[in-house]
């Protein structure tokens, strides 16, 4: 936010107080923290230019959210639905080095904390998990906005109607359809049923230890029989212990010497940032962020988000000493 904004300190203060909630709303809508940051910045610019036209016919919060919602709806009008490799195609039939990638706009990406305020952190943490963000993308954009504002942020139908330029009756109709769609999707999603499983810290520690030693036998032993691994932006994903063993063997030269730093994603879920040796072997550089889903005290799904831009957004170091 630029220096001009300081000419209206009250506006800046009001907007900053809403920023964590706006960012978490935009992230849930768009499935990308970069897109959410852009939407919030664009919201601020529009609020800034429209400040003198704010007539207080609705609350400041409703007015700002109307602007943010419209920006998200505009972005989604031209966008394809974001997904994950495991929902996009079948698992790899032959294990080779992954090569086919799709644009960042194709995939769901993890997000860091939006705020250090405990009240902001507690806003329906379960609705920030990656599986839930993925399920949200099946909803048409306007239904998605209604569903989020009602069932996540607990707005009244009247507030939602004012914010989205709808009638309360239209809000209730859209909400009913969205809930029915989400309920059906939850029933079909095995990972949704695992969202309440508490992360097993011992299993996480064993994964880090096995990966940093790059002990492939120990790594594969940690996986569930149905375990799998995906690596957006690569479309390829690997399923089953035999193929996981083949894949890790193939990736040995790329992964040996890696180190992990612990981090948290999407409402405080534990994750690990992987740093790999640089080409000249003088330091360790960012590679991917590993998010681990567990089942029956085993690894069910590792999502390794191979996107070095995420590291700075998560406040992670640009490199590590060897």
């Amino acid at each position: 936010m630029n220096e001009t904004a300081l000419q209206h300190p009250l506006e800046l203060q009001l907007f900053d107080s809403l920023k964590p909630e706006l960012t978490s709303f935009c992230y849930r809508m768009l499935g990308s923290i970069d897109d959410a940051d852009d939407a919030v910045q664009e919201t601020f610019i529009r609020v800034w230019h429209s400040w003198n036209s704010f007539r207080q016919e609705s609350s400041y919060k409703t007015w700002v959210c109307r602007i943010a919602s419209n920006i998200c709806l505009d972005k989604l009008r031209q966008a394809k639905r974001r997904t994950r490799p495991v929902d996009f195609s079948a698992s790899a039939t032959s294990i080779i080095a992954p090569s086919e990638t799709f644009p960042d706009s194709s995939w769901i990406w993890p997000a860091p904390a939006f705020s250090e305020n405990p009240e902001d952190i507690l806003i329906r943490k379960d609705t920030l998990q990656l599986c839930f963000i993925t399920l949200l993308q099946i909803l048409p954009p306007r239904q998605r906005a209604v569903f989020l504002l009602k069932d996540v942020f607990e707005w009244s139908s009247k507030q939602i109607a004012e914010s989205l330029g709808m009638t309360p009756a239209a809000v209730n109709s859209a909400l009913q359809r969205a809930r029915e769609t989400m309920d059906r999707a939850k029933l079909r999603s095995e990972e949704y049923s695992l969202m309440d499983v508490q992360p097993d810290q011992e299993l996480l520690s064993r994964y880090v230890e096995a990966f940093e030693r790059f002990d492939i036998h120990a790594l594969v032993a940690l996986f569930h029989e149905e375990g799998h691994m995906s690596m957006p932006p690569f479309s390829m994903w690997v399923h089953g212990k035999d193929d996981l063993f083949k894949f890790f063997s193939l990736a040995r030269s790329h992964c040996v010497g890696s180190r992990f730093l612990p981090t948290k994603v999407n409402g405080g879920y534990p994750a690990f940032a992987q740093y790999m040796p640089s080409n000249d072997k003088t330091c360790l550089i960012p590679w991917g962020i590993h998010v681990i889903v567990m089942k029956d005290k085993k690894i069910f799904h590792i999502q390794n988000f191979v996107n070095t831009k995420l590291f700075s957004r998560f406040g992670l170091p640009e490199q590590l000493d060897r």
Side-chain angles (χ1 to χ4, degrees):
M1 296 177 186
N2 54 39
E3 294 179 5
T4 332
L6 299 177
Q7 295 173 12
H8 291 320
L10 174 60
E11 180 192 356
L12 183 62
Q13 184 179 352
L14 286 170
F15 191 87
D16 277 350
S17 69
L18 292 179
K19 191 174 179 183
E21 187 171 342
L22 281 177
T23 307
S24 63
F25 170 75
C26 292
Y27 172 67
R28 288 173 170 97
M29 283 289 291
L30 301 171
S32 158
I33 189 59
D34 284 345
D35 285 3
D37 285 343
D38 290 346
V40 171
Q41 182 63 22
E42 193 173 338
T43 299
F44 174 76
I45 292 169
R46 290 196 194 178
V47 166
W48 171 253
H49 287 308
S50 306
W51 176 253
N52 293 330
S53 65
F54 176 46
R55 298 286 180 258
Q56 299 187 0
E57 294 168 354
S58 60
S59 72
Y60 177 80
K61 181 176 180 177
T62 301
W63 178 63
V64 172
C65 189
R66 179 188 304 143
I67 294 171
S69 299
N70 285 332
I71 287 170
C72 288
L73 292 173
D74 286 344
K75 287 179 178 292
L76 291 169
R77 196 165 285 121
Q78 305 298 327
K80 292 182 179 179
R81 175 160 67 93
R82 288 178 180 269
T83 186
R84 303 177 302 170
V86 294
D87 302 311
F88 176 75
S89 64
S91 60
T93 54
S94 59
I95 306 304
I96 58 175
S99 57
E100 183 181 36
T101 63
F102 287 92
D104 286 357
S105 58
S106 303
W107 308 116
I108 300 290
W109 297 101
F114 305 117
S115 168
E116 298 301 321
N117 185 331
E119 290 181 9
D120 294 322
I121 293 170
L122 287 174
I123 295 178
R124 293 294 306 276
K125 280 176 61 176
D126 58 316
T127 67
L128 269 176
Q129 290 202 29
L130 285 161
C131 176
F132 191 86
I133 298 296
T134 304
L135 294 182
L136 281 173
Q137 309 308 303
I138 67 177
L139 294 176
R142 193 166 291 272
Q143 283 187 31
R144 195 183 310 171
V146 169
F147 179 83
L148 287 172
L149 290 173
K150 184 69 172 180
D151 284 7
V152 176
F153 295 95
E154 299 181 347
W155 284 34
S156 69
S157 294
K158 182 176 181 292
Q159 277 180 297
I160 297 169
E162 289 176 355
S163 182
L164 298 180
M166 302 167 68
T167 65
V171 166
N172 291 332
S173 175
L175 180 62
Q176 181 180 352
R177 294 196 302 275
R179 283 173 173 168
E180 289 172 352
T181 301
M182 286 294 285
D183 286 345
R184 288 194 299 270
K186 290 172 188 176
L187 288 173
R188 292 194 299 267
S189 171
E190 183 164 12
E191 286 199 31
Y192 181 81
S193 68
L194 298 174
M195 285 200 340
D196 291 334
V197 176
Q198 289 297 314
D200 183 331
Q201 296 300 325
E202 182 186 356
L203 180 59
L204 293 173
S205 297
R206 288 162 62 199
Y207 176 72
V208 171
E209 181 183 354
F211 199 104
E212 290 186 344
R213 294 199 325 264
F214 213 66
D215 182 335
I216 297 175
H217 289 281
L219 266 176
V220 173
L222 299 176
F223 279 83
H224 191 276
E225 290 299 325
E226 295 298 315
H228 46 283
M229 180 173 64
S230 57
M231 302 149 285
F234 297 101
S235 57
M236 171 186 174
W237 62 282
V238 182
H239 176 254
K241 288 191 172 186
D242 288 345
D243 283 353
L244 284 163
F245 189 93
K246 292 174 188 174
F247 181 81
F248 283 128
S249 299
L250 188 69
R252 174 181 288 280
S253 62
H254 186 76
C255 294
V256 166
S258 290
R259 275 174 50 200
F260 282 122
L261 283 186
T263 186
K264 291 185 177 180
V265 304
N266 292 60
Y269 197 84
F272 298 99
Q274 178 192 350
Y275 289 77
M276 58 173 284
S278 60
N279 288 334
D280 60 8
K281 310 298 183 185
T282 60
C283 63
L284 298 168
I285 57 175
W287 174 247
I289 293 179
H290 296 226
V291 182
I292 302 171
V293 178
M294 304 172 199
K295 178 181 180 180
D296 303 330
K297 299 188 179 299
K298 294 284 188 177
I299 295 172
F300 182 69
H301 184 190
I302 289 180
Q303 296 175 86
N304 180 8
F305 294 95
V306 183
N307 185 338
T308 57
K309 291 184 295 184
L310 289 172
F311 281 65
S312 60
R313 186 62 180 79
F314 276 74
L316 292 161
E318 292 182 5
Q319 64 180 49
L320 299 180
D321 295 332
R322 294 205 71 177

mmCIF file of all heavy atoms in Angstrom, residues 110-128:
data_model
loop_
_atom_site.group_PDB
_atom_site.id
_atom_site.type_symbol
_atom_site.label_atom_id
_atom_site.label_comp_id
_atom_site.label_asym_id
_atom_site.label_seq_id
_atom_site.Cartn_x
_atom_site.Cartn_y
_atom_site.Cartn_z
ATOM 1 N N PRO A 110 -1.009 -24.450 -1.846
ATOM 2 C CA PRO A 110 -1.161 -24.213 -0.408
ATOM 3 C C PRO A 110 -1.003 -22.735 -0.061
ATOM 4 O O PRO A 110 -0.499 -21.949 -0.857
ATOM 5 C CB PRO A 110 -0.033 -25.053 0.206
ATOM 6 C CG PRO A 110 1.030 -25.065 -0.855
ATOM 7 C CD PRO A 110 0.287 -25.083 -2.173
ATOM 8 N N ALA A 111 -1.439 -22.403 1.143
ATOM 9 C CA ALA A 111 -1.361 -21.011 1.605
ATOM 10 C C ALA A 111 -0.749 -20.958 3.000
ATOM 11 O O ALA A 111 -0.965 -21.857 3.817
ATOM 12 C CB ALA A 111 -2.755 -20.389 1.634
ATOM 13 N N PRO A 112 0.014 -19.890 3.299
ATOM 14 C CA PRO A 112 0.524 -19.693 4.659
ATOM 15 C C PRO A 112 -0.575 -19.100 5.542
ATOM 16 O O PRO A 112 -1.712 -18.897 5.097
ATOM 17 C CB PRO A 112 1.664 -18.692 4.447
ATOM 18 C CG PRO A 112 1.198 -17.875 3.269
ATOM 19 C CD PRO A 112 0.424 -18.818 2.382
ATOM 20 N N ALA A 113 -0.235 -18.808 6.776
ATOM 21 C CA ALA A 113 -1.192 -18.179 7.689
ATOM 22 C C ALA A 113 -1.544 -16.786 7.175
ATOM 23 O O ALA A 113 -0.687 -16.066 6.663
ATOM 24 C CB ALA A 113 -0.607 -18.101 9.086
ATOM 25 N N PHE A 114 -2.803 -16.407 7.322
ATOM 26 C CA PHE A 114 -3.247 -15.081 6.897
ATOM 27 C C PHE A 114 -3.083 -14.049 8.000
ATOM 28 O O PHE A 114 -3.118 -12.854 7.749
ATOM 29 C CB PHE A 114 -4.719 -15.131 6.471
ATOM 30 C CG PHE A 114 -5.008 -16.151 5.409
ATOM 31 C CD1 PHE A 114 -5.841 -17.213 5.653
ATOM 32 C CD2 PHE A 114 -4.410 -16.061 4.161
ATOM 33 C CE1 PHE A 114 -6.100 -18.165 4.679
ATOM 34 C CE2 PHE A 114 -4.654 -17.007 3.176
ATOM 35 C CZ PHE A 114 -5.502 -18.061 3.438
ATOM 36 N N SER A 115 -2.938 -14.531 9.228
ATOM 37 C CA SER A 115 -2.893 -13.620 10.357
ATOM 38 C C SER A 115 -2.308 -14.356 11.553
ATOM 39 O O SER A 115 -2.369 -15.584 11.636
ATOM 40 C CB SER A 115 -4.316 -13.138 10.684
ATOM 41 O OG SER A 115 -4.368 -12.468 11.925
ATOM 42 N N GLU A 116 -1.720 -13.589 12.487
ATOM 43 C CA GLU A 116 -1.270 -14.165 13.755
ATOM 44 C C GLU A 116 -2.350 -14.045 14.825
ATOM 45 O O GLU A 116 -2.192 -14.542 15.935
ATOM 46 C CB GLU A 116 0.006 -13.440 14.232
ATOM 47 C CG GLU A 116 1.186 -13.582 13.278
ATOM 48 C CD GLU A 116 1.575 -15.026 13.046
ATOM 49 O OE1 GLU A 116 1.533 -15.815 14.008
ATOM 50 O OE2 GLU A 116 1.894 -15.374 11.896
ATOM 51 N N ASN A 117 -3.463 -13.400 14.489
ATOM 52 C CA ASN A 117 -4.557 -13.200 15.437
ATOM 53 C C ASN A 117 -5.290 -14.522 15.646
ATOM 54 O O ASN A 117 -5.803 -15.104 14.696
ATOM 55 C CB ASN A 117 -5.519 -12.134 14.880
ATOM 56 C CG ASN A 117 -6.620 -11.792 15.867
ATOM 57 O OD1 ASN A 117 -7.024 -12.604 16.683
ATOM 58 N ND2 ASN A 117 -7.115 -10.573 15.771
ATOM 59 N N PRO A 118 -5.385 -15.005 16.897
ATOM 60 C CA PRO A 118 -6.059 -16.285 17.147
ATOM 61 C C PRO A 118 -7.491 -16.334 16.614
ATOM 62 O O PRO A 118 -7.949 -17.371 16.154
ATOM 63 C CB PRO A 118 -6.035 -16.411 18.678
ATOM 64 C CG PRO A 118 -4.880 -15.568 19.109
ATOM 65 C CD PRO A 118 -4.825 -14.425 18.131
ATOM 66 N N GLU A 119 -8.193 -15.195 16.650
ATOM 67 C CA GLU A 119 -9.576 -15.184 16.161
ATOM 68 C C GLU A 119 -9.615 -15.449 14.657
ATOM 69 O O GLU A 119 -10.487 -16.170 14.163
ATOM 70 C CB GLU A 119 -10.240 -13.843 16.476
ATOM 71 C CG GLU A 119 -10.505 -13.630 17.967
ATOM 72 C CD GLU A 119 -11.195 -12.301 18.233
ATOM 73 O OE1 GLU A 119 -11.604 -11.636 17.259
ATOM 74 O OE2 GLU A 119 -11.318 -11.934 19.416
ATOM 75 N N ASP A 120 -8.678 -14.860 13.913
ATOM 76 C CA ASP A 120 -8.627 -15.096 12.468
ATOM 77 C C ASP A 120 -8.249 -16.544 12.168
ATOM 78 O O ASP A 120 -8.785 -17.164 11.246
ATOM 79 C CB ASP A 120 -7.610 -14.155 11.802
ATOM 80 C CG ASP A 120 -8.037 -12.696 11.879
ATOM 81 O OD1 ASP A 120 -9.239 -12.433 11.748
ATOM 82 O OD2 ASP A 120 -7.167 -11.843 12.077
ATOM 83 N N ILE A 121 -7.326 -17.085 12.965
ATOM 84 C CA ILE A 121 -6.858 -18.446 12.731
ATOM 85 C C ILE A 121 -7.980 -19.461 12.952
ATOM 86 O O ILE A 121 -8.052 -20.488 12.281
ATOM 87 C CB ILE A 121 -5.657 -18.749 13.658
ATOM 88 C CG1 ILE A 121 -4.458 -17.874 13.259
ATOM 89 C CG2 ILE A 121 -5.272 -20.223 13.614
ATOM 90 C CD1 ILE A 121 -3.315 -17.909 14.248
ATOM 91 N N LEU A 122 -8.894 -19.147 13.862
ATOM 92 C CA LEU A 122 -9.936 -20.097 14.221
ATOM 93 C C LEU A 122 -11.119 -20.121 13.255
ATOM 94 O O LEU A 122 -12.025 -20.925 13.424
ATOM 95 C CB LEU A 122 -10.443 -19.794 15.643
ATOM 96 C CG LEU A 122 -9.470 -20.167 16.770
ATOM 97 C CD1 LEU A 122 -10.000 -19.700 18.109
ATOM 98 C CD2 LEU A 122 -9.223 -21.663 16.790
ATOM 99 N N ILE A 123 -11.140 -19.224 12.239
ATOM 100 C CA ILE A 123 -12.278 -19.207 11.313
ATOM 101 C C ILE A 123 -12.272 -20.504 10.509
ATOM 102 O O ILE A 123 -11.561 -20.640 9.525
ATOM 103 C CB ILE A 123 -12.225 -17.977 10.366
ATOM 104 C CG1 ILE A 123 -12.382 -16.682 11.155
ATOM 105 C CG2 ILE A 123 -13.347 -18.063 9.316
ATOM 106 C CD1 ILE A 123 -12.293 -15.427 10.304
ATOM 107 N N ARG A 124 -13.016 -21.482 10.999
ATOM 108 C CA ARG A 124 -13.224 -22.745 10.305
ATOM 109 C C ARG A 124 -11.940 -23.286 9.679
ATOM 110 O O ARG A 124 -11.811 -23.386 8.464
ATOM 111 C CB ARG A 124 -14.310 -22.580 9.250
ATOM 112 C CG ARG A 124 -15.714 -22.329 9.793
ATOM 113 C CD ARG A 124 -16.264 -23.519 10.552
ATOM 114 N NE ARG A 124 -16.217 -24.749 9.751
ATOM 115 C CZ ARG A 124 -17.147 -25.096 8.864
ATOM 116 N NH1 ARG A 124 -18.174 -24.309 8.639
ATOM 117 N NH2 ARG A 124 -17.033 -26.236 8.210
ATOM 118 N N LYS A 125 -10.977 -23.655 10.530
ATOM 119 C CA LYS A 125 -9.706 -24.187 10.040
ATOM 120 C C LYS A 125 -9.905 -25.350 9.068
ATOM 121 O O LYS A 125 -9.160 -25.518 8.116
ATOM 122 C CB LYS A 125 -8.862 -24.663 11.224
ATOM 123 C CG LYS A 125 -8.136 -23.573 11.969
ATOM 124 C CD LYS A 125 -7.416 -24.135 13.173
ATOM 125 C CE LYS A 125 -6.374 -25.165 12.802
ATOM 126 N NZ LYS A 125 -5.603 -25.646 13.969
ATOM 127 N N ASP A 126 -10.941 -26.165 9.345
ATOM 128 C CA ASP A 126 -11.155 -27.335 8.490
ATOM 129 C C ASP A 126 -11.460 -26.943 7.050
ATOM 130 O O ASP A 126 -11.167 -27.691 6.115
ATOM 131 C CB ASP A 126 -12.294 -28.196 9.051
ATOM 132 C CG ASP A 126 -13.601 -27.427 9.192
ATOM 133 O OD1 ASP A 126 -13.555 -26.275 9.668
ATOM 134 O OD2 ASP A 126 -14.663 -27.966 8.825
ATOM 135 N N THR A 127 -12.031 -25.745 6.860
ATOM 136 C CA THR A 127 -12.379 -25.312 5.503
ATOM 137 C C THR A 127 -11.192 -24.690 4.776
ATOM 138 O O THR A 127 -11.348 -24.162 3.677
ATOM 139 C CB THR A 127 -13.552 -24.315 5.528
ATOM 140 O OG1 THR A 127 -13.134 -23.091 6.153
ATOM 141 C CG2 THR A 127 -14.746 -24.884 6.267
ATOM 142 N N LEU A 128 -10.014 -24.766 5.390
ATOM 143 C CA LEU A 128 -8.795 -24.315 4.725
ATOM 144 C C LEU A 128 -7.953 -25.485 4.234
ATOM 145 O O LEU A 128 -7.002 -25.287 3.487
ATOM 146 C CB LEU A 128 -7.948 -23.464 5.679
ATOM 147 C CG LEU A 128 -8.194 -21.958 5.653
ATOM 148 C CD1 LEU A 128 -7.355 -21.269 6.718
ATOM 149 C CD2 LEU A 128 -7.916 -21.364 4.287
#
